[in-house]
Amino acid sequence: MPSLKDLTRRDVLAGIGAMTCTLALPFPASGRSRDSGVVRESTEKSLREHASRRGLLYGAAAGKAILTGNKALADLFVEQCGIVVPENDLKFKHVHPKPDEYDFSKADWLLDFAESHDMKMRGHTLVCHEFLPDWFDDVVNESKAQRRMEEHLTRVMHHFAGKLHSWDVVNEPLEAESWREDGLRDSPWLKLLGPDYIEKAFHIARDADKEALLCWNENRIQNEDPPSTRKRTLFLKWLRDLKRRNVPIDAIGIESHLTADGSPVAGENFKRFLREVADLGLKLLITEMDVADDSRPKDVAVRDRAVAQLYYHYLHTVLKQKNVIAVLNWGLSNGTTWLAQSKARADAAPVRPLPFDDQMNPTLAFKAIARAFDKAPGR
Ligand code: XIL
């Protein structure tokens, strides 16, 4: 593996040093005029370009509200991303707020934003244990569950049919600590429809959109602890079974919410898992990558180095697999990240999990991600 020490030494000098004297890191020579008030050097490629040189898509999660409320962030997405994914706007409770009422306005806005800036969009998410509306429990009982699932998936997918790159058809159906032999999470869908809800969802999805890649998106796959190892084993069992029975699944999403606490990730067992997924003919997407820094000291240089090292190690490992087609961060700028709430630091310092700081300047994580793309084999 190329030396991480190398990355650290060189980049701390070139990156952090430059940042602390307000001269930003080298930045994309996109030639686009920017009127967001953020002034930067424009001498380097965007993450989109670094990725596309290796045949990869790079992108990030956002939503109508944060992009319309922050011009500098919207400009950054246009510069850096080849694909966007709605962080929340397509979740069940947002897109289907009443039993017979759908609201596509926010996701439509995002699709229009993507299309008008030559970006793709992916769909997140259709069937999940979370993000259900208040009306769900009152309306969806066992006799109606199948019809309700069909109706929701068909309506939402038809609305975007032929326009989205991929869809997270099922989201986090497994749970590392599940007491069940099949590893399924105790989700309302499981209670209502039994374990078949997964294949039902994929069949409905394929009927509704023939073009989008249909994905099983899963969390906590990359760790080396026993629950994650068990989860990978059970996940593979599921994937083999679905493929054997010709269930229309095209890809898996590995969320990749990483934690810079020094615990081992992306080890031998994980690499074997990736190869076995490839052998099944499935594509892989890194769908929600970020790095929690709440266990690291407050010092920004120390924290940024730990975050960048983990990004590099993780991506360098994952991208060796040529069936990985896309890498998405869960947010792009540290100014708008879900980790500000879910992994807030005890010292109240702002978290720094993403490739750009809150002023839209690239952090050391940017360099680590760019370098991992550069080192990846082409596809
Ligand atoms: C998160 C969003 O980022 C938050 O804004 C929201 O409040 C909760 O959901 N795995 C997923 C995503 O699949 O949908 C989650 O997104 C993060 C974890």
Side-chain angles (χ1 to χ4, degrees):
M1 189 169 83
S3 162
L4 292 175
K5 270 200 207 113
D6 228 38
L7 167 81
T8 309
R9 219 180 298 121
R10 265 209 303 273
D11 289 5
V12 166
L13 293 176
I16 295 244
M19 278 190 285
T20 48
C21 49
T22 65
L23 211 162
L25 280 171
F27 208 71
S30 61
R32 282 189 194 94
S33 67
R34 57 177 48 254
D35 49 358
S36 56
V38 178
V39 182
R40 287 185 301 227
E41 294 277 307
S42 289
T43 56
E44 225 221 82
K45 297 192 289 287
S46 63
L47 289 176
R48 175 182 183 153
E49 288 173 86
H50 282 282
S52 76
R53 286 181 179 214
R54 294 292 179 269
L56 280 161
L57 267 170
Y58 172 76
K64 181 183 177 191
I66 60 162
L67 292 178
T68 50
N70 188 337
K71 173 89 169 71
L73 184 65
D75 285 347
L76 192 67
F77 267 79
V78 172
E79 273 183 351
Q80 297 293 323
C81 295
I83 184 164
V84 288
V85 59
E87 182 173 357
N88 291 304
D89 294 343
L90 275 176
K91 287 173 178 167
F92 202 128
K93 66 178 176 186
H94 297 296
V95 82
H96 193 166
K98 295 196 182 141
D100 298 308
E101 204 177 295
Y102 289 80
D103 177 4
F104 294 110
S105 58
K106 296 193 181 72
D108 281 346
W109 182 92
L110 194 65
L111 181 62
D112 186 54
F113 172 76
E115 286 179 339
S116 58
H117 294 102
D118 185 32
M119 292 184 249
K120 297 181 192 298
M121 180 163 126
R122 61 186 316 269
H124 173 84
T125 176
L126 293 164
V127 178
C128 182
H129 61 289
E130 283 187 292
F131 318 125
L132 294 167
D134 290 341
W135 58 263
F136 190 87
D137 286 343
D138 298 334
V139 172
V140 187
N141 54 34
E142 273 172 34
S143 68
K144 289 189 192 149
Q146 165 114 10
R147 187 171 65 75
R148 280 285 172 185
M149 186 167 88
E150 259 169 39
E151 198 180 272
H152 178 80
L153 266 62
T154 306
R155 182 77 197 272
V156 175
M157 291 186 80
H158 269 171
H159 185 85
F160 297 101
K163 295 183 179 158
L164 298 191
H165 168 269
S166 48
W167 261 110
D168 291 334
V169 177
V170 290
N171 204 50
E172 305 177 2
L174 297 172
E175 190 173 35
E177 282 89 8
S178 169
W179 51 269
R180 294 175 55 98
E181 262 181 43
D182 59 11
L184 286 186
R185 183 191 291 278
D186 191 16
S187 128
W189 296 108
L190 176 66
K191 280 201 200 90
L192 291 163
L193 292 169
D196 285 355
Y197 85 87
I198 293 182
E199 64 181 90
K200 283 185 176 140
F202 278 103
H203 282 296
I204 298 166
R206 179 49 83 229
D207 285 345
D209 186 339
K210 306 272 181 272
E211 287 172 47
L213 292 175
L214 304 183
C215 309
W216 174 324
N217 195 41
E218 199 50 79
N219 69 354
R220 247 181 97 183
I221 285 297
Q222 67 284 340
N223 298 72
E224 287 301 301
D225 51 88
S228 302
T229 307
R230 173 173 181 258
K231 195 173 184 182
R232 282 192 289 273
T233 306
L234 292 170
F235 196 5
L236 264 178
K237 216 169 149 198
W238 269 100
L239 295 173
R240 283 199 195 103
D241 188 51
L242 295 181
K243 289 297 283 183
R244 192 172 48 78
R245 289 184 300 105
N246 291 321
V247 175
I249 175 171
D250 301 307
I252 68 160
I254 302 183
E255 292 186 5
S256 313
H257 294 291
L258 310 173
T259 304
D261 61 359
S263 59
V265 285
E268 288 311 313
N269 186 279
F270 175 74
K271 288 190 221 169
R272 198 159 51 243
F273 168 82
L274 296 182
R275 285 195 297 273
E276 293 189 45
V277 172
D279 290 346
L280 287 171
L282 293 167
K283 295 192 188 319
L284 270 159
L285 288 83
I286 302 300
T287 50
E288 306 186 12
M289 187 173 63
D290 51 21
V291 178
D293 67 0
D294 55 320
S295 58
R296 291 283 163 170
K298 193 171 183 182
D299 184 286
V300 166
V302 175
R303 255 200 285 162
D304 279 8
R305 194 161 59 231
V307 168
Q309 280 179 327
L310 183 51
Y311 265 123
Y312 184 77
H313 163 67
Y314 184 67
L315 280 179
H316 184 67
T317 305
V318 168
L319 294 177
K320 283 187 180 146
Q321 284 299 320
K322 290 207 184 183
N323 60 329
V324 178
I325 56 168
V327 174
L328 290 97
N329 273 115
W330 205 242
L332 195 57
S333 151
N334 293 334
T336 43
T337 162
W338 75 306
L339 296 178
Q341 280 86 47
S342 61
K343 290 285 179 83
R345 295 177 55 84
D347 58 24
V351 295
R352 298 176 62 83
L354 291 167
F356 292 86
D357 70 15
D358 58 358
Q359 297 301 303
M360 317 304 156
N361 289 312
T363 63
L364 208 47
F366 170 96
K367 294 214 112 187
I369 296 170
R371 182 165 300 176
F373 287 154
D374 291 348
K375 298 276 181 194
R379 58 214 65 210

